[in-house]
Amino acid sequence: MSKKNKVTSAARADRHALYQNSVQDTEAELGFVADTFEELNGRALRLLREDFCGTANTACDWVRRNKKNQAIAIDLDTEVLEWGRLHNLDHLNAEQQQRIQMVHGDVKQPTTTQVDAVLAMNFSYYLFLERASLCQYFRRVYQSLMPDGILFMDAYGGYEAHQELEEERECEDQQIGEFTYVWDQHRFNPINHHMNCQIHFKFPDGSRMNKAFNYNWRLWSLPELQEILQEAGFSRVQVYWEGTDEESNEGDGIYSVQTEGEADAGWICYLVSQK
Ligand SMILES: C[S@@+](CC[C@H](N)C(=O)[O-])C[C@H]1O[C@@H](n2cnc3c(N)ncnc32)[C@H](O)[C@@H]1O
């Protein structure tokens, strides 16, 4: 066997490409955000800010969706931003690139541009461990929104969210091939809800990319989040809960405003907060 053939899939794989493929569904997410904004405001969403943007995959898809769309994408980490610039931004055409701005910065710092909507997805704001720092972040978002601006966030919970467990999902990508996504709730402290969560990837050749991503965050509850968002000034905070497919009894991917949800083992919902 040549030396080249001994390189494992894990060694060849790119963790950001794997993440984008297994974790993100920008089309479904942006569809929800655009439709909900229009429904609540009677106008189209145009200028979107993607906080904790990572590779800015969502922001790039936003400008690709419509030639009137604009995006600002913010992240603290230069390595992930650079990856996004090379693999996402550089694949946009010149005109699309003019409608997106990638910012290396802290989402808790004040910004000058007022936007229609801010997205804080994939639970990134769970990285704020204290109520005061989370509230400060929400205040900053509030200040940077237009008068009818909206903050969109996702949240997860359910009794399995409090367990130390591993969940696997099979994934496939044209370029990457087959791989397994592993969500590892590695440690959960019931006293302060701090958790350590990790993402690993496994490959058909038996190789494994361990701790491709590692998050130390706090499992916030929906009542806490709604109260803190109101404290930060938002006039209306609503939970969009997922409907159930009657045949499969699984989530149907359709989110609507609800004030009562089912006590599922594991749920994901959207929080929609209007200025
Ligand atoms: C969960 S990941 C990104 C998720 C991405 N938004 C998505 O939808 O898949 C969290 C990102 O937040 C960034 N981050 C953490 N704290 C930040 C802060 N205070 N300001 C800006 N970015 C931050 C990290 O560098 C990391 O790229």
Side-chain angles (χ1 to χ4, degrees):
M1 197 190 279
S2 76
K3 214 175 179 185
K4 192 175 163 221
N5 290 337
K6 284 186 196 154
V7 178
T8 64
S9 298
R12 268 198 313 267
D14 180 324
R15 68 188 186 116
H16 295 302
L18 294 166
Y19 178 92
Q20 287 191 170
N21 182 275
S22 56
V23 176
Q24 295 189 306
D25 182 350
T26 57
E27 200 183 323
E29 191 172 283
L30 288 173
F32 171 79
V33 165
D35 290 352
T36 308
F37 187 92
E38 189 143 8
E39 216 171 271
L40 293 173
N41 283 338
R43 70 174 182 96
L45 195 177
R46 290 298 173 217
L47 177 54
L48 167 156
R49 194 177 90 194
E50 184 187 10
D51 281 0
F52 313 95
C53 69
T55 62
N57 192 22
T58 307
C60 286
D61 274 356
W62 179 248
V63 300
R64 216 183 264 121
R65 258 174 101 92
N66 188 300
K67 58 180 190 305
K68 291 186 185 154
N69 287 355
Q70 297 178 58
I72 302 171
I74 307 180
D75 202 282
L76 259 186
D77 180 353
T78 47
E79 186 259 331
V80 72
L81 283 173
E82 196 43 38
W83 193 98
R85 197 175 297 282
L86 278 173
H87 296 87
N88 291 331
L89 196 86
D90 285 359
H91 292 182
L92 298 176
N93 67 35
E95 184 278 326
Q96 289 165 338
Q97 285 185 22
Q98 285 188 346
R99 291 186 277 112
I100 184 167
Q101 191 191 344
M102 277 171 88
V103 179
H104 174 223
D106 185 338
V107 296
K108 286 219 299 294
Q109 292 305 312
T111 51
T112 45
T113 313
Q114 288 213 318
V115 297
D116 290 330
V118 170
L119 269 60
M121 294 298 189
N122 276 313
F123 328 113
S124 305
Y125 61 93
Y126 283 19
L127 292 165
F128 297 128
L129 301 180
E130 308 299 333
R131 190 187 169 99
S133 52
L134 185 61
C135 192
Q136 190 204 345
Y137 167 59
F138 290 157
R139 286 206 171 97
R140 289 287 181 237
V141 172
Y142 183 91
Q143 288 160 0
S144 57
L145 286 169
M146 304 270 198
D148 64 350
I150 300 180
L151 166 63
F152 291 89
M153 317 185 302
D154 53 8
Y156 76 90
Y159 53 86
E160 281 180 358
H162 298 233
Q163 290 174 350
E164 293 172 355
L165 52 77
E166 281 197 11
E167 269 172 17
E168 296 195 351
R169 186 159 41 81
E170 298 310 318
C171 302
E172 195 171 353
D173 177 77
Q174 273 190 342
Q175 279 165 11
I176 306 168
E178 288 175 18
F179 66 98
T180 308
Y181 161 88
V182 184
W183 174 248
D184 179 0
Q185 289 175 185
H186 203 68
R187 170 78 184 121
F188 175 73
N189 180 351
I191 293 179
N192 57 14
H193 278 208
H194 289 189
M195 330 182 56
N196 174 248
C197 296
Q198 302 172 7
I199 294 176
H200 319 292
F201 297 107
K202 294 197 304 189
F203 301 89
D205 66 355
S207 61
R208 182 179 167 109
M209 190 189 286
N210 228 7
K211 253 201 218 187
F213 294 91
N214 184 40
Y215 306 111
N216 288 306
W217 62 27
R218 170 167 166 180
L219 184 67
W220 291 93
S221 73
L222 286 179
E224 284 171 320
L225 290 170
Q226 291 171 86
E227 284 168 13
I228 302 169
L229 284 158
Q230 272 154 1
E231 201 176 304
F234 287 93
S235 63
R236 184 152 73 146
V237 180
Q238 299 190 99
V239 172
Y240 282 65
W241 198 256
E242 192 178 9
T244 308
D245 182 274
E246 278 178 18
E247 272 178 28
S248 66
N249 216 26
E250 299 284 325
D252 62 4
I254 300 169
Y255 293 83
S256 61
V257 179
Q258 300 293 335
T259 50
E260 273 189 44
E262 286 202 23
D264 286 336
W267 48 257
I268 291 180
C269 70
Y270 288 111
L271 272 160
V272 177
S273 307
Q274 292 173 263
K275 187 161 179 172

